[in-house]
Structures are given as C-alpha cells and as structure tokens.
Amino acid sequence: MKPCLLLLPLLLTQCGDEAKKPASAPKPVTEALAAPAASTPAKDAPEKVEKVTAAPAAPTPAKDAPKKVYWTQEMMHTEIKYHNPTYSGDGQFNIEDGKVIALSLRGAKIENVKFLEHIEPLALDLSETPITDLRPMQGKKLVELYLEDTKVRDLSPIRGMPLEKLYLSRTPVENLAALENMPLVELNAVGCPIGDISGIAHCPIQMLWLTDCPVADISALKTVPLVSVTLHRTKVKDLSPLTGTALQRLHIAETPVTDLTPLKGMKLTRLVFTPANITAGIEVAKSLPLQEIGTRFDDGGKDLMPPASFWAAYDAAVKSGGK
C-alpha cells in the first residue's frame, strides 16, 4: 500500500527550481562558522614600578549568541555538497524567512547527514539514498522522517524525537525499541525484518503498515489507538489483541489467521482477508458493519466490494464446494 504523504509535500510546494550557481560558490556554513575570528595581538604593556590601587574586577562579558544563518537555496546545496562530494544538487527545500523547514533528498547521492548540524527542519526525506548512519541527526526535532529503501539499520539516534510520521519500508531495521513513547501517528514498515513490535506499545499510532514483516505477536497493539492496520503476509495467527479496540480497517490477507471470532463487536468498515484460511468466525465477519470487503488490497491491485456482493459470492462458492 502506498503511503499517504501529507505534511512533506505540502511543505515543499514552494520549493521552486534549483538556484543557478554563481561563478564562485559561497563558502559552506560549516567551514565559515568553524573559522576563528581574526584579532590584532596586543603590545606588551610597559612594566610599572609604582604601587597602584587595585581596581574592582570588571564583570565577565556574556558569551556571544550563536550566529544566526539566513539560509538560501544556494547555501543549502553548497552545505550538502560540502559533506557529500558526489551530491549533484537534486535536493528540494522549503525555506521560510531564512529557516529551512523541510528537505526532500529522495534519490540523491547522500551518505553523510552532517549538513543538519546548523539547521532544524521539521521534515526530512532521505528515501532511496545510500545513507546508513543517522547519528549526526541525534537531538533534532523532526516531525516527519522518510528512510524508505535505504540501508539504515540502527534507529537509536532518533530516540526521543517528536516524530509523528516514520516511513521505514524495505530497510534492514529489525528493532523498534528506539520508538518507545514517540508521538507517532503513522508508521510504515513494509518489507522490514521486524519480528518484535513491543517498542510501539505506547505510541499513539493510527496508521500501521507491517506487510511482509516476520512479526507473529501483536499483543503490543492492545494499547495502540489504531484506525487502520495492515498485517498482510505476516506470521500473525492470533487476532485477540485487537478485540475491543476502535480499529476500522484490517488487512490480514495471506496470513495464517484461521479464526475471526476476536473481531466480534468491532466497528470495522473494511476487511481484507483470505476466506480459504478461515475455519471459525465467518458469521462474526458477516455481522460486522463493513462498508467494503475483499481478498486483495495492495499496490498490485484490489478487489474490494460491498459486503452484500461479497457474501453472496462467498455463499455461492461454499455451496458449490469451494471457498
């Protein structure tokens, strides 16, 4: 299922084309801020013989406030290339009043995110880049982070971030412990080798995609306010942790689920499942307040239909000896 990206595209609507580079590129901010300020050495004061009365000590001057950088498109490209020599300038940025709000570097040749040192964006898309190390972004206040189709394994550097959207699809991430207590609303982990989801037990996730993950135990979802969950092609057998939740959309096609009884009394409006696998709970499924039901709903296609049409076809198939 394709993710529904909202905030990042909205933030990037005013990015515009890449600024043309001047004959002499501006100095990278990292290099400029690191350069020591020039000062004129003081001459040695003449030695005084007479005794003088000590003057009261002057107050220690306050430290200078950190320099504020007024970012432009050109400066941002220069800063990224300073840390990533192979970067070809294909990033897109939303900059408001000199402040970088969002960066889309999807597909760019980015291996180093040290360019984040002097900016505090809300959204960052590093999908389809060769990035592996997230440590330079530790302590950032990102709200959205997209890492799909990267080689990132370790999420510990993002622990404590105020992330609301995290997309990890097709990464080698195995452990979600770093997401504990994160204010996540959307988590997309399609095709990840994640077997343990206990790290998200206390996240306010509403949209969860776990297609093709080897997860079998979903007990952590008892306390998650899910609206939609996709368990397509997972190892989940037991749906009882979902009993009594406010879940509205459930995708369990091609799983070893055989019993739909735990769905009794739920307010599901969409159900995607594999009828041939079900040995108990069909009548429960028929009693659900569904608006659509089917056996497939993914990027390859879908067959969702009104419940009346689906159950008529199902009953006919059962009567004729099939499912």
Side-chain angles (χ1 to χ4, degrees):
M1 186 180 297
K2 292 183 179 179
C4 179
L5 310 185
L6 300 177
L7 179 57
L8 186 58
L10 178 62
L11 292 175
L12 294 174
T13 52
Q14 299 178 346
C15 291
D17 297 329
E18 178 187 354
K20 294 182 179 180
K21 297 184 178 180
S24 59
K27 196 172 186 179
V29 170
T30 297
E31 187 176 303
L33 294 180
S39 59
T40 304
K43 295 181 179 180
D44 292 337
E47 183 178 354
K48 294 186 178 181
V49 178
E50 68 274 15
K51 184 177 179 181
V52 296
T53 304
T60 303
K63 293 184 178 179
D64 293 336
K67 295 180 180 178
K68 182 178 180 180
V69 179
Y70 192 93
W71 290 93
T72 65
Q73 298 278 333
E74 182 63 26
M75 288 170 63
M76 198 66 250
H77 285 298
T78 300
E79 186 70 9
I80 293 174
K81 192 170 182 64
Y82 177 76
H83 297 286
N84 297 272
T86 58
Y87 172 65
S88 59
D90 49 349
Q92 294 183 329
F93 322 117
N94 182 20
I95 301 176
E96 297 179 0
D97 297 324
K99 182 178 180 181
V100 181
I101 306 298
L103 303 88
S104 177
L105 295 165
R106 182 176 288 262
K109 294 181 180 180
I110 300 296
E111 297 182 359
N112 189 334
V113 291
K114 287 185 178 179
F115 56 83
L116 294 172
E117 181 181 1
H118 303 295
I119 62 175
E120 290 293 341
L122 298 177
L124 175 63
D125 188 351
L126 295 171
S127 299
E128 301 173 22
T129 67
I131 192 73
T132 59
D133 186 5
L134 301 183
R135 285 177 295 178
M137 67 171 61
Q138 195 164 5
K140 293 298 174 181
K141 304 300 181 183
L142 288 167
V143 175
E144 296 187 12
L145 178 60
Y146 303 87
L147 299 169
E148 297 178 296
D149 300 293
T150 66
K151 300 300 182 183
V152 171
R153 290 179 178 273
D154 182 16
L155 295 180
S156 58
I158 70 172
R159 184 185 295 273
M161 280 188 185
L163 283 175
E164 296 177 8
K165 292 184 182 181
L166 178 60
Y167 281 67
L168 301 170
S169 295
R170 297 169 299 280
T171 66
V173 169
E174 299 180 13
N175 193 326
L176 298 181
L179 309 186
E180 188 174 4
N181 296 316
M182 193 173 278
L184 281 175
V185 176
E186 293 184 20
L187 175 61
N188 192 316
V190 171
C192 296
I194 298 169
D196 181 2
I197 61 171
S198 58
I200 63 172
H202 301 291
C203 295
I205 298 173
Q206 297 181 20
M207 309 284 287
L208 177 63
W209 294 269
L210 294 172
T211 297
D212 288 319
C213 291
V215 61
D217 181 4
I218 59 170
S219 57
L221 301 184
K222 291 179 182 179
T223 53
V224 178
L226 289 167
V227 172
S228 177
V229 62
T230 297
L231 301 172
H232 186 204
R233 291 197 295 261
T234 63
K235 296 182 179 181
V236 174
K237 295 181 180 180
D238 181 13
L239 298 179
S240 60
L242 301 178
T243 301
T245 66
L247 190 66
Q248 296 177 25
R249 299 184 291 276
L250 176 63
H251 189 339
I252 52 171
E254 299 179 84
T255 66
V257 171
T258 60
D259 186 5
L260 299 180
T261 304
L263 304 183
K264 185 176 182 178
M266 294 180 65
K267 304 299 182 182
L268 287 180
T269 58
R270 178 195 294 166
L271 176 63
V272 184
F273 73 124
T274 303
N277 293 350
I278 305 304
T279 59
I282 283 293
E283 294 305 315
V284 168
K286 288 183 176 181
S287 69
L288 295 172
L290 299 172
Q291 296 176 7
E292 49 189 3
I293 184 172
T295 63
R296 185 176 184 183
F297 186 64
D298 53 45
D299 291 343
K302 60 182 179 180
D303 63 0
L304 298 180
M305 63 183 74
S309 301
F310 180 88
W311 292 121
Y314 174 85
D315 291 338
V318 171
K319 189 174 182 180
S320 65
K323 275 191 179 181

